[in-house]
Amino acid sequence: MTYEQAKQLLEEKGQLQLLQYYDELSCEQKKTLLDAIAAINWEFEDALANPTDMTGKGRDIRPISGLRYAEIERRKAEFETIGVDAIKAGKVAAVLLAGGMGTRLGVDGPKGAYDIGITKPLYIFEQQMRNLQDVTKKCGVVVPLYIMTSDKNHEQTTAFWKEHGYFGYDEKDVKFFKQEMAPAVDYDGKIILERKDLPALSPNGNGGWFSSLKKAGLVEDLHARGVEWLNIYAVDNVLQRITDPVFIGATIESGVNCGAKAIFKTIPTEKVGVLCMDGDKPDIIEYYELTEEMANQRDENGDLVYSYGVIMNYLFRLSKLEEVEGKKIPVHIVEKKIECLCADGVTRKPEKENGKKFEALAVDLIKLMGSVLPYEVVREKEFAPIKNKTGVDSVESARELLKMNGVEL
Ligand code: UTP
């Protein structure tokens, strides 16, 4: 893109501020900026102009029924046999969504490279790989692993895995792919400059993971391996059970297109998205989008009506993902602290939120899947999210939970 083309485009879009330092830049920096402008995905304009109301208002939101823990325990042997058979037949792959910025944890580099050990190093990636290898050892086969990164952490993530010998996996069974980026804007809808030669770009949420996997040519790889089910999971839960045979078996047995591990919510304010029905389609409402009335609604037993809180561990049927790929999912607008170029010419992260990011979320794929099995897990055994350094959902709380589960730190 030439300077004139960029100027014309930005004039039309009302984003000329991106060129305000152009004359000060070196030739190389000018090219960096023009390339970045050419690569901007303008879908955010539509999201800003027509924000989707995701509060459930005007929709036919109803509770969903699922598989409670007692029932799972009763049928455990049956489910486990089905799950183990599927894994042994090579029908299951794992997909780690690790493209996030981990801003709340506030460390540089990939969140999975964070050391949660006390007396010896124990990286988040490492602990999750131990959990996965519990299954691969039991089944006597390798479960291929696909890891999503972003421009912000790709090099560091791939280098970290290489340095650590892929945590016991063969290099050929771990494939990395990058997600896409979206611009961040200030409260007037103007794209923020991170440097004089760079607009602020951030990962566009975890919702585009399948499209990114496809763009990277990895769906062919899945087919070549005979994979039929994808277990996607978040990087921050160190008690995450990955490709859990009982969960896989229960999902396959129930005939649905998707299984969703969930904790049974007991506190209305808990920060997890909840499974529900929207008309005849399953859906998830994020905690910050749930109305107070819905969050507090209880049934005749005193249980919360919207009780299946998702923990970002889903099993997706590959053929259904391929069928719905390309269908539109909502773009969520999230207020965040965005690194920006300050008046003194230095790039800094502000103390408080200074703008908006645009994110598609994996939870919104549930609706497209058409059917889902909510699957209750024991919170203390499977849910130790690391979002913050201290307090709720933190390094501290996750360490306590790991210790309770017999992990030496
Ligand atoms: P979070 O919603 O916790 O976001 O991600 P985050 O970026 O890691 O952390 P904060 O909000 O900045 O503190 C849940 C999971 O989704 C992945 C994360 O890596 C994590 O595994 N994710 C999130 C992506 O893969 N891409 C994204 O754009 C966002």
Side-chain angles (χ1 to χ4, degrees), residues 85-320:
D85 286 351
I87 295 168
K88 283 190 172 165
K91 292 183 181 167
V92 183
V95 182
L96 167 57
L97 305 185
M101 303 265 282
T103 40
R104 283 167 286 175
L105 187 59
V107 288
D108 280 337
K111 197 189 239 185
Y114 189 80
D115 178 7
I116 47 163
I118 298 171
T119 60
K120 55 187 173 192
L122 178 62
Y123 306 103
I124 294 179
F125 285 140
E126 183 181 8
Q127 177 57 35
Q128 290 191 328
M129 285 306 281
R130 286 186 188 176
N131 298 348
L132 174 58
Q133 281 158 332
D134 285 347
V135 175
T136 56
K137 279 186 198 134
K138 183 182 165 130
C139 296
V141 289
V142 170
V143 169
L145 174 63
Y146 300 82
I147 302 178
M148 184 165 85
T149 61
S150 79
D151 274 344
K152 296 272 181 185
N153 66 15
H154 184 81
E155 309 308 327
Q156 286 165 299
T157 305
T158 50
F160 192 80
W161 279 75
K162 197 173 170 71
E163 190 188 323
H164 291 275
Y166 297 90
F167 300 104
Y169 250 45
D170 199 306
E171 190 177 349
K172 72 173 186 353
D173 295 317
V174 186
K175 303 240 158 78
F176 297 88
F177 63 102
K178 275 202 236 176
Q179 68 173 95
E180 280 161 53
M181 307 290 278
V185 300
D186 65 17
Y187 290 113
D188 297 320
K190 301 286 179 202
I191 298 175
I192 293 174
L193 268 178
E194 183 176 314
R195 295 192 318 242
K196 289 182 178 175
D197 62 345
L198 198 66
L201 296 172
S202 47
N204 66 345
N206 52 28
W209 67 272
F210 188 69
S211 306
S212 302
L213 189 78
K214 195 169 171 203
K215 263 192 199 134
L218 293 174
V219 172
E220 282 91 343
D221 195 57
L222 292 170
H223 285 307
R225 288 174 181 261
V227 170
E228 293 178 12
W229 293 92
L230 298 181
N231 186 187
I232 70 156
Y233 64 102
V235 74
D236 35 35
N237 179 4
V238 278
L239 285 181
Q240 191 88 260
R241 302 310 306 174
I242 304 147
T243 64
D244 167 0
V246 186
F247 173 51
I248 291 169
T251 306
I252 294 176
E253 195 277 337
S254 70
V256 292
N257 291 321
C258 174
K261 284 201 167 192
I263 49 171
F264 205 72
K265 242 180 103 170
T266 50
I267 308 166
T269 50
E270 193 172 14
K271 290 183 169 177
V272 283
V274 288
L275 285 153
C276 61
M277 293 298 292
D278 180 1
D280 60 352
K281 296 259 180 347
D283 207 353
I284 291 172
I285 304 195
E286 275 294 341
Y287 67 89
Y288 50 84
E289 292 162 346
L290 195 67
T291 63
E292 214 182 308
E293 192 196 334
M294 287 164 85
N296 285 285
Q297 212 175 322
R298 290 184 187 269
D299 65 14
E300 59 284 357
N301 303 319
D303 288 332
L304 291 170
V305 162
Y306 296 96
S307 47
Y308 286 105
V310 286
I311 58 169
M312 188 62 171
N313 188 319
Y314 304 102
L315 186 69
F316 286 107
R317 192 191 288 274
L318 176 58
S319 59
K320 189 70 185 174

